[in-house]
Amino acid sequence: MKFRFSSLLIILLAIFSPGNPQPRDLIRITNACRNDVRNIETTGAWVNYVDQFGVVAEATTFQQQQLKNRGYLVQVLTPDISGIYERHFTGSDGRYLTYNEFIDTMALIARNNPAICQLETLGTSYNGNLLLGMKISDQPQIHENEPAVHFEGAIHGDEKIGWAICFELLKYLVRNYGTDTLITRLVDTREIYIIPMYNPDGYIRSSRYNGNSVDLNRNWGWMWGDESNQGISPFSEPENQALLNHIQNNPAAIFVSYHAGTTFISHPWSYCYSYQNTIPELSLIQFLSARYDYWTSYTYGQGCDSMYPINGSTKDFDYGYGMMGWSIEVHPQKTPPASEIDPCFNLNLPAMLEFIHLAGRGIHGTVTDATTGQPVPCQVWVRPADWLSYNHPGTGDFHRFYLPGTYTLTFRAPGYRDTTIEDVLVPATGDSAVTIDVQLTPDPAAPLFAFRHIYNSFVNPSTNRTYPVRALGPRDDSAFLLDHGKTICLDMHRPVFNRDGPDLIVYRAAGTGSTQVQGANNWQGPWITIGSACAPQTELDIGSAGLDSVRYLKLTASGQFYLDAIEGINNVGIARSSSRLPASPLQFKVKTNPASGAVHFFFSHLPDKPVLLIISDPGGRIVKTLNINTKEVVWDGRTQSGTYVPAGIYFARIGQEPAIRIILLK
């Protein structure tokens, strides 16, 4: 019996293990429409598209039976479509690469073309596979004042043709640089990021999902939730965390994610279908979509109306972050025969090149500090649409696609006076571009404010037509409606420090709802409750929650809370006791980091006044303060009360100086 049981167990594991997924048929559900998509996906079926004849999906035999049990009419279009895709992938004439071949080839391309290629490891997947991106530019090792364009493929790992056309674009640019005048000009004047294999776990397993069974295109932070396989929280997956960090550091003018299973140019919004084409800059996104359609004849439209509604998609987040974003479906089959890679790529190539070219249209410039001349990370608001984008945090340059016309721009950064420039003319001649360089004036009276939106819960678009970006910036009576029980996470850009009295003000624009306010110094927490905001203006003291500082704030509503703004009263980061600040900058370093056991801090000089070294956890709570009375100070890993802290990440700082990150091992 033991032998038989063990044999049965081995057979079951072989059948149901992730490496041996059950075969799927291509089916049509003839009595379903886009409103049924979420219900269909709860069975594990993968929806490809919706048309007038029903919903087309890929489903196992068991999933088909589940659908029939729910009253759906299932028609099999192509038996064992997954087997067909697998044979296309592994065929002898194939040029689809395996994961290992892809990794090796990317390294080879970068090594052979260092003048225009910089290979970057953006992160690792859930299963530990490399997430690689290639930057292509004439000086790829540095950031130049040039517009960026971002192409990615295979966020759904089974849609391998998306990987293929991104990889072919990379090869095409490299092969033709220096001989083709158009390619040479584009590479010399743009920063092109190509991430062919966004989801290496899924690519390896021919699965839609990553190694954690999460749909990465449902895990982004714009209107997250109410989806199958969405992950336990927004950006829960390491792949999406890596891409979030990448686009924060490298904002793009144009961002394209390639998919397959149908042909369509899908633009924002994806999450709302009760009102059509409400994207604030509809004329811009439709102009660019029409240009892509000119070359491919894919047709285009708002994703939620023309395909089906989804929450937590890449393109919605991209647009919310100030980039022109799309999901472009390039082939009716997710993995067509390898012989179709070249025709598919050749069809898309002119559109890809035109997108790279068009990234140079519109409004460009740099933003610097009027006193120091240093770059200032800022928001760039453009009216009449009143939508924002961000400049490059390291060099201060910004690039925003706009059509010819006259616009008003406002440049806004925490701790600086707003600068507004009216009558900015994008010409209808030449490159249709204008350059504006701006100097922002530091102002101690200017508030610290919510600078970036990280994520928010989904809303009901039929009753809530507000946008999370309306909670950014200082108080302006423009609000994001935070529905009951829903959450938003905001980045203040730099820490708000504890001082005597209140440190934060939460502004409510209307209504009577309230919201719980939590703080942390890491957008993933741990979150500490600071208090509740239940008035038009609520002041909060972060010290009452035992916090030394907070950078990220998470608000969860009770009732409907119209969040206008969050401002930091203490925008310059003055410590609680100014007598503790050194007369001259006191710099320090950690000799061994990660550190095991004791942590040794080395200081540039001894202060002429009593100064404290403050050690806090990621939530902003002070765990230890040490007097700096020698040039070497040792922390033995214990708290103020004498107990040892657990292994993990901690932060050490002096006054308002930037903190040093410490990894403490045990």
Side-chain angles (χ1 to χ4, degrees):
M1 290 296 292
K2 282 187 177 179
F3 174 78
R4 290 181 179 177
F5 176 77
S6 299
S7 300
L8 178 60
L9 179 60
I10 292 171
I11 292 170
L12 289 174
L13 287 174
I15 293 174
F16 293 107
S17 67
N20 296 276
Q22 288 183 288
R24 293 173 178 263
D25 300 329
L26 186 67
I27 65 171
R28 185 188 301 278
I29 306 166
T30 57
N31 61 337
C33 62
R34 64 168 57 94
N35 293 334
D36 295 291
V37 167
R38 289 195 175 99
N39 187 38
I40 292 168
E41 289 185 333
T42 60
T43 67
W46 301 342
V47 172
N48 288 6
Y49 61 91
V50 181
D51 61 18
Q52 67 269 35
F53 304 110
V55 175
V56 174
E58 297 173 23
T60 65
T61 301
F62 177 73
Q63 292 161 356
Q64 293 174 49
Q65 187 58 53
Q66 284 185 292
L67 292 169
K68 292 175 182 177
N69 293 343
R70 298 182 186 185
Y72 289 113
L73 302 177
V74 176
Q75 173 189 1
V76 176
L77 301 177
T78 307
D80 191 21
I81 189 68
S82 56
I84 292 173
Y85 290 161
E86 186 64 25
R87 289 189 289 276
H88 290 167
F89 176 59
T90 57
S92 59
D93 64 340
R95 286 188 295 107
Y96 291 108
L97 301 184
T98 67
Y99 165 76
N100 288 328
E101 290 171 336
F102 167 69
I103 296 297
D104 292 342
T105 307
M106 289 284 279
L108 183 65
I109 291 173
R111 186 163 60 247
N112 290 343
N113 302 275
I116 61 169
C117 289
Q118 174 73 22
L119 182 62
E120 301 180 10
T121 300
L122 306 181
T124 55
S125 70
Y126 182 83
N127 285 340
N129 295 304
L130 296 179
L131 180 56
L132 296 184
M134 191 76 80
K135 178 183 177 182
I136 305 176
S137 190
D138 61 332
Q139 297 191 67
Q141 291 77 22
I142 63 173
H143 172 71
E144 297 182 274
N145 183 356
E146 297 174 348
V149 184
H150 177 116
F151 296 102
E152 67 180 31
I155 188 173
H156 291 148
D158 59 326
E159 298 170 12
K160 290 183 170 63
I161 188 64
W163 167 84
I165 68 167
C166 285
F167 193 60
E168 290 300 315
L169 175 64
L170 167 59
K171 294 192 296 182
Y172 186 88
L173 295 174
V174 169
R175 287 171 176 167
N176 289 279
Y177 180 77
T179 57
D180 184 298
T181 55
L182 171 62
I183 299 305
T184 304
R185 178 179 66 82
L186 292 179
V187 172
D188 285 348
T189 60
R190 305 289 187 269
E191 296 198 328
I192 306 165
Y193 292 93
I194 302 178
I195 304 172
M197 194 182 294
Y198 188 126
N199 179 6
D201 295 355
Y203 187 92
I204 291 168
R205 298 171 58 241
S206 294
S207 170
R208 182 183 187 90
Y209 311 124
N210 77 339
N212 195 30
S213 299
V214 172
D215 187 332
L216 298 177
N217 201 36
R218 306 293 188 274
N219 187 242
W220 281 71
W222 189 275
M223 307 297 173
W224 176 86
D226 195 33
E227 294 283 355
S228 300
N229 303 90
Q230 63 191 10
I232 60 173
S233 60
F235 294 111
S236 63
E237 304 312 295
E239 299 91 341
N240 287 351
Q241 293 171 22
L243 263 293
L244 173 64
N245 181 67
H246 175 71
I247 63 175
Q248 285 180 340
N249 292 319
N250 302 281
I254 289 177
F255 189 111
V256 180
S257 180
Y258 284 107
H259 294 248
T262 184
T263 55
F264 190 69
I265 303 163
S266 177
H267 70 67
W269 299 114
S270 291
Y271 74 94
C272 55
Y273 59 89
S274 59
Y275 54 109
Q276 293 189 2
N277 292 330
T278 57
I279 186 169
E281 297 162 315
L282 181 62
S283 61
L284 305 183
I285 204 81
Q286 287 190 334
F287 173 85
L288 291 167
S289 299
R291 293 311 304 159
Y292 207 100
D293 179 52
Y294 172 82
W295 298 104
T296 62
S297 299
Y298 285 161
T299 73
Y300 62 91
Q302 186 167 267
C304 55
D305 295 304
S306 302
M307 293 190 68
Y308 50 88
I310 60 174
N311 297 329
S313 71
T314 57
K315 65 174 175 285
D316 283 1
F317 188 89
D318 296 339
Y319 184 69
Y321 244 49
M323 301 179 285
M324 298 283 114
W326 290 265
S327 296
I328 300 183
E329 309 272 350
V330 297
H331 200 282
Q333 295 187 38
K334 295 180 179 180
T335 305
S339 59
E340 294 190 32
I341 291 177
D342 280 349
C344 185
F345 170 65
N346 290 334
L347 178 65
N348 281 269
L349 176 61
M352 292 169 137
L353 296 180
E354 183 162 2
F355 265 25
I356 297 172
H357 165 71
L358 290 172
R361 279 197 183 183
I363 306 172
H364 312 267
T366 58
V367 184
T368 56
D369 186 300
T371 303
T372 67
Q374 294 299 306
V376 177
C378 77
Q379 301 170 340
V380 183
W381 293 86
V382 183
R383 293 193 299 273
D386 197 24
W387 204 250
L388 88 165
S389 60
Y390 294 91
N391 65 341
H392 190 279
T395 55
D397 58 300
F398 66 94
H399 308 273
R400 193 68 159 86
F401 174 82
Y402 265 93
L403 294 170
T406 303
Y407 304 94
T408 297
L409 275 66
T410 296
F411 300 86
R412 181 170 291 155
Y416 289 84
R417 296 176 194 166
D418 285 1
T419 295
T420 297
I421 302 177
E422 298 181 347
D423 299 325
V424 175
L425 177 64
V426 176
T429 58
D431 289 334
S432 295
V434 62
T435 299
I436 300 175
D437 294 326
V438 178
Q439 292 184 322
L440 296 184
T441 302
D443 185 353
L448 198 63
F449 52 75
F451 185 68
R452 289 184 187 269
H453 156 270
I454 302 295
Y455 63 77
N456 68 281
S457 306
F458 73 96
V459 303
N460 182 348
S462 63
T463 58
N464 186 347
R465 302 189 181 185
T466 64
Y467 297 122
V469 297
R470 300 307 176 206
L472 302 179
R475 181 183 183 183
D476 58 4
D477 295 323
S478 176
F480 172 57
L481 173 55
L482 198 56
D483 288 329
H484 176 71
K486 300 302 179 66
T487 295
I488 188 171
C489 176
L490 300 169
D491 178 6
M492 300 294 285
H493 184 58
R494 57 190 184 191
V496 177
F497 294 106
N498 181 37
R499 64 163 198 168
D500 293 332
D503 307 297
L504 294 167
I505 303 178
V506 180
Y507 291 100
R508 187 183 68 194
T512 59
S514 64
T515 182
Q516 179 192 60
V517 181
Q518 296 176 293
N521 278 314
N522 186 309
W523 65 267
Q524 295 172 290
W527 296 100
I528 308 300
T529 299
I530 298 172
S532 178
C534 53
Q537 180 175 322
T538 302
E539 296 182 346
L540 298 171
D541 178 8
I542 65 173
S544 65
L547 297 175
D548 173 54
S549 63
V550 294
R551 173 172 168 176
Y552 299 92
L553 295 165
K554 185 170 75 169
L555 287 75
T556 304
S558 295
Q560 291 187 319
F561 191 86
Y562 287 85
L563 177 60
D564 181 350
I566 303 177
E567 295 182 359
I569 297 174
N570 180 25
N571 66 291
V572 293
I574 299 173
R576 226 181 303 181
S577 173
S578 60
S579 64
R580 293 176 178 171
L581 292 176
S584 60
L586 180 58
Q587 299 179 356
F588 67 99
K589 62 182 179 179
V590 183
K591 184 176 182 180
T592 303
N593 192 13
S596 181
V599 182
H600 293 255
F601 301 93
F602 294 87
F603 297 87
S604 58
H605 61 273
L606 289 178
D608 55 3
K609 294 181 181 180
V611 175
L612 290 179
L613 177 69
I614 301 170
I615 300 171
S616 59
D617 65 16
R621 293 169 294 191
I622 297 176
V623 298
K624 185 72 173 180
T625 57
L626 298 167
N627 290 305
I628 304 174
N629 46 29
T630 64
K631 293 182 74 172
E632 179 181 354
V633 174
V634 179
W635 176 42
D636 61 5
R638 287 189 285 188
T639 66
Q640 294 289 95
S641 63
T643 60
Y644 283 97
V645 300
I649 295 174
Y650 297 87
F651 297 89
R653 67 171 180 84
I654 302 169
Q656 66 184 40
E657 297 300 315
I660 287 182
R661 185 172 181 262
I662 303 167
I663 302 175
L664 185 61
L665 305 175
K666 289 291 185 180

